Every structure is written in structure tokens, then in C-alpha cells.
Amino acid sequence: VMKQSYMAFSLGFCKLSVEECEKDPKILKDYFAEHSECPEYVVQEAIEGFVRNWETRCFWFNGEFLYAIANKAAVSTDDGVERIVTGDDIPEEFLENAKRIGREALKCLPECKTPDGQAVPMTLIRTDIGCSDTQIYDKDTRWDPTKRTFFLNEIEYGGTTYFIRHLQFDSMPLWGRLYAEKAREIHARMQERSGEPMAKRARTAASSPRLTPMKKPAADEA
């Protein structure tokens, strides 16, 4: 598979074989011409397990699991139709392995910090866990092709797709509350660091004299 390095929503995704590209070099020539503005590309061995198995996407906030969705992307399925399941419809084996690997992945991320450098728990992180069940030819990979191997496919942060319309509950109040609480948490931590209570700051701001803009002098009459 090949895709643009700075890509989202499967834009520029292309699934090919070395054999067909060697027979017809125009395939790659046309691809690079179409995406000529892209500075770099990612080329990876295709994981056939994406066709048969769910890719399970876990959503985390403050390092805590919130919910998951599992899907088979349209670019992976045989019929080109995306499939999405949520809640209790996600097979337990896929959900539990996704949560297990996702928790380990969170440990690898840099700390989230306030503008004045204080560490705070991470905001939204999404971990996407794939599943392979066939032979992988990468020279450094030793996965058993006779059983399922779950692996971290990618990590996404706040700008990720939330898959809200597919959930079995209304998550908008949840996200609103979490981000409001996070903003208050960061503000409170920064106030504590400054050493000045919030109430005193409010009084100081209210009592500060306001500057009145000077009026422009009238022009002299001729």
C-alpha cells in the first residue's frame, strides 16, 4: 500500500502489487503526477488481515478509556463498503486487545504541558489497533501466520475523527464536559504557579484604572 505522508481520510491511498507496477510503470508515474504536491510518501507491506478483521479504535482522555469503535475501511474491504460497529457489538477479543495495547502506547507519548511548563494528564488520544492473521514478509517481523496478532497501527490526537454519529449514546455532552474541565484544570494550575489567588486577581483587575483614549484635537480654522 502507498499513501501520502501527510494524509487523512484515506486520501491518496493506493493498494498495488510489485508485479503489476513492474509490468506497467505508468501506474506509479500517474500516481506521483496526481499527488505531485506531496513532499513524501509512505510505502508499506499490505496487511491482508484488514480485509477480514476489525481495526479497533480506542478513545482516551486523561489516560482513561472512554469508548471504542471498530471498523473495516472501504479501502480495505472486497466490496468497497465501510463497516462500523460500536459498543457491545465490538467482539470482546478485539476490544480487550485494543485496550491492552492502547494503554501501553500511551506510555510512549510525551507529556502534555501547560503554557508555563507544568505537566498535566493528556487530552484526547485515539489508538488504532489492527489485526494480522496471514504471513508477513517484513524481514524484522516474526508474527505467527496461524493465529491473530494485534498491533498498534497508529496514534492520533485531538484533531482525530470522533465517529460520533455511529455511537450508541450521545457523546457531545461528554466531550463538552471533558474539555471544559481540562481548561479549568490548566487555568487553576497556572494560577497556583503564579502564587496569586484567583479572587485577588479578579479584584485587582476590577480596581485597575481604565485608560481613556485622548481625543484628537480639532483642526485649526483657516
Side-chain angles (χ1 to χ4, degrees), residues 205-213:
S207 61
S208 298
R210 295 185 178 182
L211 298 178
T212 302

Side-chain angles (χ1 to χ4, degrees), residues 29-131:
K29 183 178 179 180
D30 290 347
Y31 179 88
F32 291 130
E34 180 181 357
H35 304 288
S36 59
E37 76 287 351
C38 182
E40 63 182 14
Y41 304 86
V42 176
V43 181
Q44 301 169 300
E45 179 180 351
I47 305 297
E48 295 301 327
F50 279 118
V51 176
R52 294 175 294 279
N53 301 308
W54 298 104
E55 182 177 9
T56 308
R57 309 172 190 270
C58 294
F59 293 76
W60 311 81
F61 201 97
N62 287 335
E64 300 294 329
F65 174 77
L66 297 181
Y67 64 83
I69 75 101
N71 78 315
K72 297 176 184 177
V75 295
S76 300
T77 58
D78 290 330
D79 57 8
V81 177
E82 182 177 35
R83 293 171 176 79
I84 298 177
V85 294
T86 63
D88 294 338
D89 294 330
I90 301 175
E92 183 177 5
E93 178 187 9
F94 287 81
L95 178 59
E96 293 306 315
N97 278 287
K99 291 164 68 175
R100 172 180 60 83
I101 297 174
R103 287 193 184 94
E104 294 301 312
L106 295 180
K107 299 176 183 178
C108 301
L109 297 177
E111 288 185 318
C112 181
K113 293 187 177 181
T114 62
D116 61 357
Q118 298 184 70
V120 292
M122 187 65 73
T123 56
L124 169 64
I125 294 293
R126 195 185 88 190
T127 54
D128 297 353
I129 310 303
C131 178

